[in-house]
Amino acid sequence: MRTLPVGERALLVELDADGEVGAFHAELLRRRAAGTLPKVREIVPAARTVLLDGLDDPRALAVELATWTVPPLTAEAGAETEIRVRYDGPDLVEVAGLWGVRPEEVPEIIGGLVFRVAFCGFAPGFGYLTGLPEHRHLPRRATPRTSVPAGSLALAGPYAGVYPRSSPGGWQLIGTTDAVLWDPRREPAALLAPGTQVHFTRDAS
């Protein structure tokens, strides 16, 4: 763990691996809920970092963090949500081929995994979901699409994600959902937040 001051009120914590970020983020939330974390306005995880913004004394927290023992991330950590998916994506057959399975087996594989929102970015409501085992990691498409439909369930590298709106994209598209990932009229606007566990279930309609 390495801490870097950001301005006068923030601290950037660098970690060595995605799993460490998830465990550290969960520990921050646990301590904040328990009232043992110094006042912080925002906790923002990314791929290898966590930003703590709005601190009264970032240097004091940096010293304190060096004494923490962060427990491993447990399966019980985080809220849960279910997203129903129709497996009708244009890359479903190609993904099945890369995995060495039949296309009809892909829903069962995805449905048997528990994903976790590692961090958010790219577009409002877009969560980067971890949970794919290493042998299911996939390359991005050689040629990105200029327009990916909203609600597309996609895979790339170690991540899964659902496009909250139509946008360019190079991930492998395996399905679609009617779930609304981002609604500014809703509180909270984002369906997915860092730490949320996500279960994809098959929508056969």
Side-chain angles (χ1 to χ4, degrees):
M1 177 190 301
R2 190 163 75 110
T3 54
L4 300 167
V6 180
E8 297 181 353
R9 303 291 301 276
L11 190 67
L12 185 69
V13 182
E14 292 184 339
L15 297 131
D16 293 330
D18 294 350
E20 291 185 16
V21 172
F24 181 68
H25 179 249
E27 181 66 6
L28 287 167
L29 297 184
R30 187 190 69 77
R31 294 190 184 223
R32 183 163 69 175
T36 59
L37 183 71
K39 182 181 175 183
V40 55
R41 186 173 66 246
E42 285 192 277
I43 300 173
V44 185
R48 293 293 174 87
T49 62
V50 178
L51 177 71
L52 297 107
D53 191 22
L55 296 165
D56 290 334
D57 191 344
R59 293 183 183 277
L61 181 57
V63 172
E64 181 183 332
L65 290 178
T67 69
W68 282 18
T69 299
V70 178
L73 190 64
T74 65
E76 294 78 20
E80 296 185 40
T81 193
E82 177 185 312
I83 295 178
R84 293 177 61 79
V85 174
R86 296 178 296 277
Y87 284 87
D88 54 3
D91 302 325
L92 181 65
V93 173
E94 185 175 335
V95 168
L98 290 167
W99 284 354
V101 302
R102 292 175 288 132
E104 53 267 35
E105 294 179 83
V106 173
E108 184 177 349
I109 292 170
I110 296 297
L113 299 171
V114 178
F115 293 88
R116 183 177 182 278
V117 183
F119 57 98
C120 297
F122 171 61
F126 189 94
Y128 288 78
L129 312 183
T130 55
L132 279 175
E134 189 169 353
H135 68 284
R136 301 298 188 198
H137 293 183
L138 290 167
R140 291 170 180 260
R141 295 190 58 77
T143 303
R145 293 182 168 88
T146 57
S147 179
V148 173
S152 295
L153 171 59
L155 307 173
Y159 299 113
V162 178
Y163 284 77
R165 66 185 185 193
S166 178
S167 67
W171 290 26
Q172 310 276 1
L173 309 182
I174 62 170
T176 53
T177 179
D178 294 327
V180 178
L181 276 293
W182 178 259
D183 183 352
R185 298 164 298 182
R186 187 175 60 196
E187 181 59 43
L191 177 65
L192 304 179
T196 302
Q197 294 185 50
V198 180
H199 304 266
F200 291 108
T201 57
R202 184 172 191 174
D203 183 348
S205 62

